[in-house]
Amino acid sequence: DQVDKKLTAYHEAGHTLVQSMLKDADPLHKVSIIPRGPYGGATFSLPEKDRTHYTRKYCIAQMEVSFGGRIAEEIFCDDISSGAQSDIQMATSIAREMVQTWGMSPTLGPVDFSAKQQEYFGMSGQEYSQKTAEVIDAEVKKLIDEAYNGAKGIIENNREKLQAIADALLKYETLDASEVKIILEGGTLSKP
């Protein structure tokens, strides 16, 4: 249906734009609004190498890319959909890992608060206080907000580019990285 297709085009254009504008994110490979299983479309990246380490900048960039879809829906479709469910899960799990496992919260420092740590020592249940749990939640929320606002800024400052990507997706359904680059540089796509 056309409403769904339009929503999907803006959603995927949001991911694509943010991913293309962030030097710390994996490079874009292609984007499509052809439905796949439960998903209306998909944006594919090409990790430059198999990562053994995740830097804080990379994590924030990945979260920003995740939120690009939801923000584009909000700005261009004046509504939000459940289509962002897996994006939200992804961003939340990255933020939790950053805070609980990788010691990337300046407030909590390099302490492992993960469930894996508890299991390793054969402990069951939470080994930290309710107060610490609240700090963890606040730190996760802070990271999420930082990424969300970063993505929102990119989209608000590049509305015409996002519109152009969405229009091209509605016309062609799939775009590769070189075609997205042409659009971002203000060129015109002509493909059969």
Side-chain angles (χ1 to χ4, degrees), residues 90-104:
M90 163 77 91
T92 306
S93 81
I94 292 172
R96 285 221 166 268
E97 286 290 315
M98 289 172 75
V99 172
Q100 290 183 267
T101 311
W102 299 331
M104 291 183 182

Side-chain angles (χ1 to χ4, degrees), residues 99-103 108-114:
V99 172
Q100 290 183 267
T101 311
W102 299 331
L108 290 164
V111 179
D112 186 345
F113 293 105
S114 68

Side-chain angles (χ1 to χ4, degrees), residues 96 100 112-115 118 125-134 136:
R96 285 221 166 268
Q100 290 183 267
D112 186 345
F113 293 105
S114 68
Q118 318 299 324
Q126 193 170 292
E127 290 296 317
Y128 46 81
S129 68
Q130 185 56 42
K131 187 170 186 277
T132 301
E134 286 167 17
I136 290 169

Side-chain angles (χ1 to χ4, degrees), residues 116-165:
K116 295 184 225 48
Q117 174 74 0
Q118 318 299 324
E119 286 159 24
Y120 181 76
F121 289 108
M123 304 174 206
S124 58
Q126 193 170 292
E127 290 296 317
Y128 46 81
S129 68
Q130 185 56 42
K131 187 170 186 277
T132 301
E134 286 167 17
V135 175
I136 290 169
D137 290 343
E139 288 297 289
V140 168
K141 177 79 169 86
K142 200 189 294 177
L143 284 169
I144 296 273
D145 290 346
E146 179 185 336
Y148 191 90
N149 293 330
K152 193 168 189 172
I154 291 169
I155 290 173
E156 284 175 341
N157 293 325
N158 295 280
R159 282 173 182 252
E160 327 65 45
K161 289 178 179 173
L162 195 147
Q163 182 68 57
I165 296 168

Side-chain angles (χ1 to χ4, degrees), residues 4-170:
D4 263 4
K5 197 172 177 183
K6 181 185 166 202
L7 192 77
T8 300
Y10 282 103
H11 183 101
E12 297 306 329
H15 288 311
T16 300
L17 175 78
V18 175
Q19 189 157 12
S20 302
M21 306 295 275
L22 288 171
K23 67 173 174 43
D24 293 309
D26 286 325
L28 180 74
H29 173 49
K30 69 173 183 172
V31 53
S32 174
I33 58 166
I34 298 168
R36 284 164 196 278
Y39 304 106
T43 303
F44 302 95
S45 61
L46 271 182
E48 281 174 315
K49 55 187 184 304
D50 290 336
R51 285 181 187 276
T52 45
H53 297 86
Y54 299 98
T55 64
R56 190 176 195 281
K57 284 178 182 170
Y58 174 79
C59 291
I60 296 286
Q62 290 304 102
M63 289 173 15
E64 287 182 54
V65 172
S66 292
F67 288 129
R70 158 62 64 96
I71 294 162
E73 287 180 21
E74 215 173 290
I75 292 175
F76 289 87
C77 304
D78 199 30
D79 200 358
I80 52 177
S81 76
S82 60
Q85 176 189 345
S86 63
D87 300 328
I88 293 168
Q89 284 171 342
M90 163 77 91
T92 306
S93 81
I94 292 172
R96 285 221 166 268
E97 286 290 315
M98 289 172 75
V99 172
Q100 290 183 267
T101 311
W102 299 331
M104 291 183 182
S105 153
T107 308
L108 290 164
V111 179
D112 186 345
F113 293 105
S114 68
K116 295 184 225 48
Q117 174 74 0
Q118 318 299 324
E119 286 159 24
Y120 181 76
F121 289 108
M123 304 174 206
S124 58
Q126 193 170 292
E127 290 296 317
Y128 46 81
S129 68
Q130 185 56 42
K131 187 170 186 277
T132 301
E134 286 167 17
V135 175
I136 290 169
D137 290 343
E139 288 297 289
V140 168
K141 177 79 169 86
K142 200 189 294 177
L143 284 169
I144 296 273
D145 290 346
E146 179 185 336
Y148 191 90
N149 293 330
K152 193 168 189 172
I154 291 169
I155 290 173
E156 284 175 341
N157 293 325
N158 295 280
R159 282 173 182 252
E160 327 65 45
K161 289 178 179 173
L162 195 147
Q163 182 68 57
I165 296 168
D167 291 344
L169 281 170
L170 287 166

